[in-house]
Amino acid sequence: VFKAIGRAAPTEALVLIRGESGTGKELVARALWQHSGRADKPFVVINCVAIPDTLLESELFGYEKGAFTGASARRVGKIEQANRGTVFLDEIGDMPLNIQAKILRLLQEKQVERLGGRELIPVDVRILAATNRDLETAVAEGRFREDLYYRLKVVSVDLPPLRQREGDLPPLAEHFLRRYSREMDMQNPGLTPEALDVLSAHTWPGNVRELGNTLHKALIFSRGCPIGPEEIRQAIGGGGGGGFAPPG
């Protein structure tokens, strides 16, 4: 992953970042931006799931005054705002088909058109995209444009789930304990070997994000003593798993 970031970052190539939720796709996108020639220009994150379909188009492309009821003034879209910078389209696999067509035109022609407008506006942005979806299946089922899929696939970075990276778990756990101890202005109590065994046995459906949340919760209730297996089980949600809720 580090090598892929290092090779792709200085180029203008579109990068598709693939992986389950919580594996760090936005961290990869930020690393690509920070090591690119656009690092001193805007980095705009657009979560295609968090914005309702009815609002996503106007968020991306903006609108002209009078384009729809309530459009009392012109609004510049996020892509236009990011001119000369980088746009990160998170969860692009959930983007509606009509907006996929406009993204394809952006990639091909480097232009956007505001809602209710007739003017094509040139924009210079680098597009990074991420998804936790199986895009090949989405294309076969007609939920994702095949032409956009092939444009996105210029460079692909695949992030493995935490359950396939067992060797990464101890240093990640130590990182989160240091981080949250510092944020809460408390001494890092550390983990007992038994606690680390419980962490290693969990399948981590929420990946690194779930691990961080679990250790944050365990640290809050550690009372200054080394965190043991019981605290980890309680933080995970009891027993061998479950109880994980992604942060809002």
Side-chain angles (χ1 to χ4, degrees), residues 46 51 55-62 75-79:
I46 301 166
I51 304 172
L55 298 178
L56 183 58
E57 186 173 3
S58 61
E59 282 289 314
L60 287 168
F61 303 106
R75 180 177 179 181
V76 175
K78 289 186 178 295
I79 290 174

Side-chain angles (χ1 to χ4, degrees), residues 41-107:
K41 302 298 188 295
F43 178 77
V44 176
V45 178
I46 301 166
N47 189 317
C48 301
V49 173
I51 304 172
D53 292 355
T54 53
L55 298 178
L56 183 58
E57 186 173 3
S58 61
E59 282 289 314
L60 287 168
F61 303 106
Y63 53 79
E64 296 290 349
K65 180 180 180 180
F68 51 83
T69 302
S72 57
R74 171 187 287 178
R75 180 177 179 181
V76 175
K78 289 186 178 295
I79 290 174
E80 199 176 339
Q81 291 173 27
N83 192 36
R84 300 181 66 199
T86 302
V87 173
F88 175 47
L89 298 174
D90 197 9
E91 304 304 351
I92 196 172
D94 295 273
M95 180 178 283
L97 283 167
N98 65 312
I99 302 181
Q100 290 177 31
K102 293 199 169 190
I103 293 296
L104 182 64
R105 186 169 72 179
L106 167 66
L107 295 174

Side-chain angles (χ1 to χ4, degrees), residues 189-202 204 214-215 217-219 221-222 225-241:
L191 289 168
T192 67
E194 294 79 12
L196 193 56
D197 289 342
V198 173
L199 289 173
S200 300
H202 188 54
W204 302 109
T214 296
L215 289 166
K217 192 186 303 182
L219 192 58
F221 296 103
S222 67
C225 300
I227 296 172
E230 197 54 43
E231 287 85 359
I232 295 297
R233 291 191 186 97
Q234 290 174 355
I236 288 173

Side-chain angles (χ1 to χ4, degrees), residues 106-124:
L106 167 66
L107 295 174
Q108 292 173 335
E109 302 175 10
K110 306 294 185 183
Q111 295 176 328
V112 296
E113 184 178 351
R114 300 188 191 112
L115 282 173
R118 298 180 179 179
E119 178 188 4
L120 290 174
I121 303 159
V123 289
D124 172 21

